[in-house]
Amino acid sequence: MPTSLKVNGQVHTVDAEPDTPLLWVLRDVLGLVGTKYGCGVAQCGACTVHIDGVAMRSCVTSLARVGAKAVTTIEGIGANPVGAKVQEAWKAIDVPQCGYCQAGQIMSATALLAAAPKPTDDEIDAAMNGNLCRCATYIRIRKAIKAASGQTPSDKMGA
Amino acid sequence: MDAILENPSRRLFLKTGAAAGGGLLLSFSLPGLVRAEGEVAANPFNAFVRIERNGVVTIAAKRPEIGQGIKTSMPMLIAEELDVDWKTVRIEQSPIDAKVFGEQSAGGSTSTPDDWEPMRQVGAVGRALLIQAAAQRWNVPAVGLTTEPGFVVDKAGKRRASYGELAQAAAGLPARDPKTLTLKDPKTYRIIGKAQPQSDTPAIVTGQPLYGIDVRVPGMLYATFLKAPVFAAKVAKIDLAPAKAVKGVRHVFVVDGGSELEGLLGGVVVVADTWWQARKGRNALEVTWADHPTSAQSSAGFIAKAAELHGQPPHRNLKTVGDVDAALKGAAKVVKADYSYPFNAHATLEPQNCTASFKDGKVEIWAPAQNPEDGRELVAKTLGIKPEDITIHFTRSGGGFGRRLMNDFMVEAAWISKTVGAPVKLLWTREDDMQHDFYRPAGYHRLTAGLDAQGGLTAWRNHFVTFGEGTKFARAANISGTQFPYGAVENYAQDVSVMPLGVPTGWLRAPGNNAYGFVYQGFIDEVAYAAGADPVEFRRKLLGAPRLIGEPGKGDSFHTGRMRAVLDKAAEASGWGRKTEKGVGLGVACHYSHRGYVAVVVEVVVNDGALKVRKAWAAVDVGKQIVNPNGAEQQVQGSVLDGIGSALGQQITIENGAVAQSNFGDFPMLRLADAPHVEVRFVISDNPPTGLGEPALPPSPAALVNAIFAATGKRIRSLPIGDQLA
Ligand code: FES
Ligand code: FES
């Protein structure tokens, strides 16, 4: 069933069943494969995108639920000044190991910084705890979020 | 066939000297790099380096990138000796061709020790050829010339020529024997030893297609494969119609499968236009699985059997030194404890997947693989085709940890593509991935130690109950007879008993050691307390005078002096011995594996049974040169946190022959809020550089449980820690 879907500022007509999770529309229908599959049940965060600026797990968000709302993915987040800052910090601190979780991490971090420009350690913990990193790049993730928000790393990070 | 994912073979390895964009290819053969000597002549091209007219240098990374940073660190070795500006270097993943590139696997932390010399030689030969080309052009002796990054210059400073200008002439010269060339003095390194960012980071943070799961091939269909929950069980009854009725589903078929756990297993495949449609088709299926001889096996059963075997004489002894029984009889104090750990899964965040295109008896494969040559053999055998009719491309892997040393996903994708006659991307669900892993085997140890009146260790025995049959161990369930404190105690015995297993097992990051580090360093801690000694001091005494234990060059030979140095460094960094508040404890452990010496100290706080890991310190000796300090820090921090996370909550349990866990909800992995900072110190020793993907993991679980003991007086002897503190 053709549905229109707005992704990264562009409107697409997609042919997919309304119950299809947004993740698979992005990956298999639109070929935007930067958004990753890790668990399919909202437990890992690899599939995080923004829907009207809010971080959402695309693996459990159906196409029908997205409706006319604007979707932003890792491929488009650089157009958002906060997203661009986060990507720069991720590069400067060289956060990724295997890198598979990092699209989701960056999307969650960008949503956090949009809501709390100078997040505390607790706010970082709360916002990022749903994003699993199997390689455990957590130390650098914290550091990069602090850097992107212009803060110096706190004790928790051992400097 | 062109995949949309970058297809490296099309870009780097042209067969002639002229590269596509007018650039020039500098190729040369290096006999030492090729395993089978006789094949060198047939493959004169060993194209690790391409230099374009504008000076851009492209270097091939021959090993798969699984997050260990090898795609950056090995090209650094070439670039250093070639003497180029690292900022101008582009890195491309090489094709898979053992005849040209030799070993292309990633496992056992072997890449750095194996490639340290030959990769630098590749660069040195390239540099020598460029110098020779300049010497000919200027008609001067080569000895009067040297290089600056990207340029050949004469030592008098009169003339210079860029590598780009010289590459064509250099490519026409006969290769040089690397043994005749002097490698750089490390003091002059500009690239090695300097923190370099990982080469794929910019692509990763912008979501570029890099991984196996991202591969797209024209005309490709998507597949899901429902395998029997009991390993190697077969389909007994099924109605395919409900799945076929789902929109987009093209094919539904039963795979009979074999009985070898590493090969093609029985189940049902659904192929559709999109993966979600395939998945919906799969959800519509109702399968009755045939009974299987292993349907009754369970973790509880293994635990009971291990207890039974511990009560009997061991099946065999792997090593005896002195007389343990006599020493225990004469001991002032005897310490006994049972240690155990569960099956564990790799849980790479990118689930297993593979894309295959079978056509006219040949198959092309795109795989996130760690060990592709074994995959080639498996596919050839299973599909009945020739190994040379299989082309395999590496993709980046979303984590490896040893999981992708096995190639089950490869044979499945090839089989499905052959069956449906179209290119297919097979993607496992997370549940498939968790329930069809090659698990770190569980293990059960009964340890006994004797102390003399002065608190010195006089006797050590381990009766290890593991999996296997007769004298054959199940994969990754083996142990060496010479685990430390072998060589440091007068009376020592390593005994084993085995029980049969119908669960696939495999190599998980620091195989064996990831469990033995916990068992041995946990028990040594107990023994230290029993001796009334400080845990660091006790280990120092046990290590004794600096010496090599075991045969030089042998895998488990071990230098006590190197271990002592990292132990001292970790103790110093953590402020070992300082006063701590109530509920706070520090634990230490040191372990040797994969040629690396690592000591870890962990600090925890436990309040009312709530455990918080505050910080960890790791001291590491992997030889005289850290190739990429950036990647090295990542690997050590990642490994320490991996060890801590697995000890905290990870376990796979077998019930009714199948895995009980299914997703991250019942297989809890470390998350950001629970991840402490890990401070890393490298101890530089005069030894060849070795790998870092693994050795920092094994001491970490023990340091954690030892810290818990220091904080609470509770000894954790069975992993995971779970709710044992509640
Ligand atoms: S794939 Fe959506 S949260 Fe894991
Ligand atoms: S970098 Fe590998 S999962 Fe996060």
Side-chain angles (χ1 to χ4, degrees):
Chain A
M1 196 178 75
T3 316
S4 76
L5 180 67
K6 192 172 171 195
V7 184
N8 300 332
Q10 225 187 307
V11 179
H12 302 261
T13 305
V14 296
D15 190 8
E17 305 283 288
D19 65 348
T20 309
L22 175 61
L23 172 64
W24 302 109
V25 177
L26 294 171
R27 291 188 57 86
D28 293 356
V29 183
L30 297 177
L32 292 169
V33 295
T35 305
K36 295 295 192 259
Y37 166 69
C39 70
V41 290
Q43 283 173 355
C44 78
C47 65
T48 307
V49 298
H50 291 183
I51 299 179
D52 276 351
V54 180
M56 302 280 279
R57 309 292 187 228
S58 65
C59 67
V60 292
T61 306
S62 67
L63 185 57
R65 257 179 71 203
V66 179
K69 296 191 193 98
V71 177
T72 309
T73 70
I74 187 68
E75 289 91 346
I77 197 66
N80 167 330
V82 179
K85 240 190 334 190
V86 170
Q87 285 172 321
E88 280 314 307
W90 245 247
K91 279 194 278 184
I93 285 156
D94 205 21
V95 175
Q97 288 184 29
C98 85
Y100 192 78
C101 70
Q102 300 296 343
Q105 306 283 3
I106 288 169
M107 298 308 287
S108 290
T110 302
L112 165 65
L113 292 185
K118 301 244 179 267
T120 62
D121 286 345
D122 287 349
E123 284 171 329
I124 294 173
D125 282 1
M128 301 302 294
N129 221 39
N131 285 83
L132 198 60
C133 176
R134 170 64 177 97
C135 304
T137 60
Y138 300 122
I139 295 164
R140 290 193 180 188
I141 289 173
R142 275 203 205 106
K143 219 175 180 174
I145 292 174
K146 289 280 181 164
S149 61
Q151 304 184 82
T152 41
S154 71
D155 264 4
K156 181 157 187 179
M157 292 169 281
Chain B
M1 170 164 302
D2 275 317
I4 291 175
L5 186 78
E6 68 172 359
N7 182 345
S9 63
R10 305 211 170 270
R11 294 165 53 188
L12 184 51
F13 297 91
L14 306 171
K15 292 240 166 60
T16 70
L24 295 153
L25 182 70
L26 174 58
S27 324
F28 38 81
S29 69
L30 265 188
L33 278 176
V34 179
R35 281 247 159 122
E37 293 286 335
E39 285 163 344
V40 176
N43 291 278
F45 291 98
N46 211 326
F48 277 94
V49 178
R50 186 180 70 211
I51 299 175
E52 285 166 46
R53 253 186 248 282
N54 62 8
V56 171
V57 177
T58 304
I59 296 180
K62 70 168 188 152
R63 306 228 186 211
E65 177 60 57
I66 57 176
Q68 84 283 43
I70 212 71
K71 192 175 172 185
T72 303
S73 58
M74 293 302 104
M76 283 171 66
L77 300 180
I78 297 178
E80 180 69 64
E81 292 291 343
L82 186 61
D83 201 11
V84 291
D85 179 356
W86 181 248
K87 286 196 288 293
T88 69
V89 172
R90 290 191 193 141
I91 299 173
E92 289 180 359
Q93 184 77 55
S94 84
I96 299 174
D97 188 343
K99 291 193 190 112
V100 176
F101 293 99
E103 184 63 51
Q104 293 190 271
S105 62
S109 293
T110 53
S111 303
T112 301
D114 288 357
D115 292 356
W116 165 246
E117 183 97 3
M119 289 303 114
R120 285 182 305 143
Q121 288 175 340
V122 164
V125 170
R127 176 173 176 270
L129 293 176
L130 289 158
I131 288 177
Q132 209 179 324
Q136 285 178 1
R137 173 189 283 200
W138 296 331
N139 201 17
V140 296
V143 286
L145 305 181
T146 185
T147 58
E148 286 169 5
F151 291 88
V152 178
V153 297
D154 77 9
K155 287 178 184 164
K158 284 204 301 271
R159 273 182 291 219
R160 57 199 272 124
S162 74
Y163 284 5
E165 291 169 61
L166 295 168
Q168 184 166 34
L173 296 170
R176 297 277 293 273
D177 177 357
K179 286 193 219 66
T180 64
L181 303 170
T182 315
L183 296 176
K184 277 191 181 177
D185 177 349
K187 285 202 269 311
T188 67
Y189 284 164
R190 298 174 207 259
I191 298 168
I192 295 174
K194 313 281 182 287
Q196 311 291 359
Q198 302 296 346
S199 58
D200 279 342
T201 297
I204 289 167
V205 304
T206 49
Q208 304 305 304
L210 292 168
Y211 301 90
I213 194 176
D214 302 338
V215 170
R216 296 201 301 151
V217 170
M220 179 179 92
L221 299 173
Y222 293 80
T224 180
F225 187 4
L226 171 62
K227 286 186 288 278
V230 174
F231 306 100
K234 294 185 189 302
V235 174
K237 213 177 90 205
I238 186 166
D239 176 8
L240 302 179
K244 284 184 172 159
V246 170
K247 190 172 172 228
V249 170
R250 303 279 196 98
H251 310 267
V252 187
F253 58 94
V254 169
V255 176
D256 193 37
S259 57
E260 280 175 39
L261 295 180
E262 38 288 289
L264 188 67
L265 295 178
V268 192
V269 171
V270 182
V271 180
D273 293 334
T274 69
W275 191 73
W276 185 251
Q277 290 168 330
R279 182 93 196 267
K280 271 174 101 174
R282 169 179 167 164
N283 290 348
L285 290 170
E286 260 183 62
V287 191
T288 309
W289 302 102
D291 206 22
H292 190 268
T294 62
S295 300
Q297 65 181 354
S298 69
S299 289
F302 297 137
I303 290 166
K305 181 73 185 166
E308 187 191 316
L309 290 170
H310 273 147
Q312 298 168 6
H315 291 165
R316 58 199 178 105
N317 172 266
L318 296 181
K319 189 88 187 173
T320 297
V321 180
D323 185 338
V324 175
D325 288 334
L328 287 173
K329 249 187 230 129
K333 207 174 210 178
V334 172
V335 187
K336 288 184 184 187
D338 286 354
Y339 275 73
S340 66
Y341 42 84
F343 293 93
N344 198 1
H346 296 83
T348 58
L349 197 58
E350 179 190 18
Q352 305 318 304
N353 66 84
C354 184
T355 302
S357 178
F358 185 94
K359 211 175 167 201
D360 306 328
K362 296 187 181 188
V363 61
E364 191 166 4
I365 292 169
W366 294 263
Q370 284 182 253
N371 187 15
E373 290 306 328
D374 279 12
R376 184 194 306 278
E377 257 173 61
L378 180 64
V379 171
K381 194 180 76 181
T382 312
L383 270 65
I385 59 177
K386 292 203 282 290
E388 53 272 30
D389 287 337
I390 301 167
T391 306
I392 309 173
H393 307 278
F394 275 135
T395 65
R396 194 181 175 89
S397 286
F401 312 106
R403 174 61 181 86
R404 303 182 211 269
L405 290 166
M406 307 305 288
N407 291 287
D408 44 344
F409 45 84
M410 212 188 268
V411 75
E412 290 174 0
W415 183 270
I416 296 166
S417 174
K418 184 183 177 194
T419 306
V420 306
V424 165
K425 172 153 75 189
L426 167 70
L427 170 62
W428 291 23
T429 64
R430 171 56 53 194
E431 291 79 7
D432 293 338
D433 197 89
M434 198 152 284
Q435 299 185 335
H436 290 279
D437 198 347
F438 292 86
Y439 304 94
R440 188 277 305 277
Y444 315 88
H445 300 251
R446 174 155 291 179
L447 294 136
T448 316
L451 290 165
D452 62 22
Q454 290 74 46
L457 184 69
T458 56
W460 177 280
R461 179 194 298 286
N462 179 17
H463 180 186
F464 175 32
V465 175
T466 182
F467 298 100
E469 263 161 286
T471 56
K472 205 172 149 2
F473 292 111
R475 187 184 297 108
N478 55 310
I479 195 165
S480 84
T482 54
Q483 293 280 325
F484 187 81
Y486 168 78
V489 56
E490 235 165 279
N491 304 284
Y492 169 97
Q494 177 69 276
D495 297 329
V496 288
S497 297
V498 292
M499 50 188 164
L501 180 69
V503 174
T505 56
W507 303 284
L508 172 66
R509 197 178 206 174
N513 296 287
N514 61 40
Y516 309 147
F518 157 67
V519 171
Y520 283 69
Q521 286 292 313
F523 187 58
I524 282 176
D525 213 66
E526 291 200 48
V527 176
Y529 277 95
D534 170 78
V536 169
E537 210 38 63
F538 186 80
R539 285 173 174 82
R540 285 187 182 130
K541 219 168 104 187
L542 195 55
L543 288 165
R547 68 196 185 284
L548 190 74
I549 295 175
E551 273 177 68
K554 272 273 174 67
D556 55 358
S557 67
F558 168 100
H559 199 279
T560 56
R562 295 181 72 181
M563 189 59 90
R564 169 69 190 260
V566 294
L567 179 63
D568 286 349
K569 179 63 84 181
E572 176 205 312
S574 63
W576 184 265
R578 68 183 140 92
K579 268 217 140 19
T580 52
E581 321 98 86
K582 194 174 161 294
V584 175
L586 267 68
V588 67
C590 54
H591 187 87
Y592 167 78
S593 80
H594 298 84
R595 305 177 183 83
Y597 295 79
V598 185
V600 172
V601 172
V602 166
E603 179 176 331
V604 300
V605 53
V606 186
N607 278 323
D608 296 329
L611 166 68
K612 177 95 193 152
V613 186
R614 273 187 171 173
K615 189 160 176 174
W617 295 261
V620 180
D621 173 2
V622 284
K624 64 184 171 196
Q625 181 67 61
I626 301 299
V627 176
N628 184 359
N630 173 47
E633 183 192 72
Q634 290 175 310
Q635 287 309 301
V636 174
Q637 291 184 328
S639 300
V640 169
L641 293 181
D642 194 354
I644 289 173
S646 65
L648 286 173
Q650 288 172 219
Q651 91 172 308
I652 290 292
T653 42
I654 308 296
E655 288 168 18
N656 301 317
V659 168
Q661 289 74 15
S662 63
N663 208 314
F664 297 123
D666 49 18
F667 186 79
M669 304 196 80
L670 189 73
R671 288 177 185 267
L672 181 128
D674 299 319
H677 184 69
V678 182
E679 210 175 289
V680 181
R681 306 282 170 98
F682 289 103
V683 174
I684 301 303
S685 67
D686 192 20
N687 292 283
T690 54
L692 263 179
E694 296 166 285
L697 192 156
S700 306
L704 172 58
V705 299
N706 295 343
I708 291 172
F709 181 80
T712 65
K714 174 151 178 77
R715 195 49 83 179
I716 304 283
R717 299 190 182 93
S718 176
L719 293 182
I721 295 162
D723 56 7
Q724 292 182 65
L725 297 175

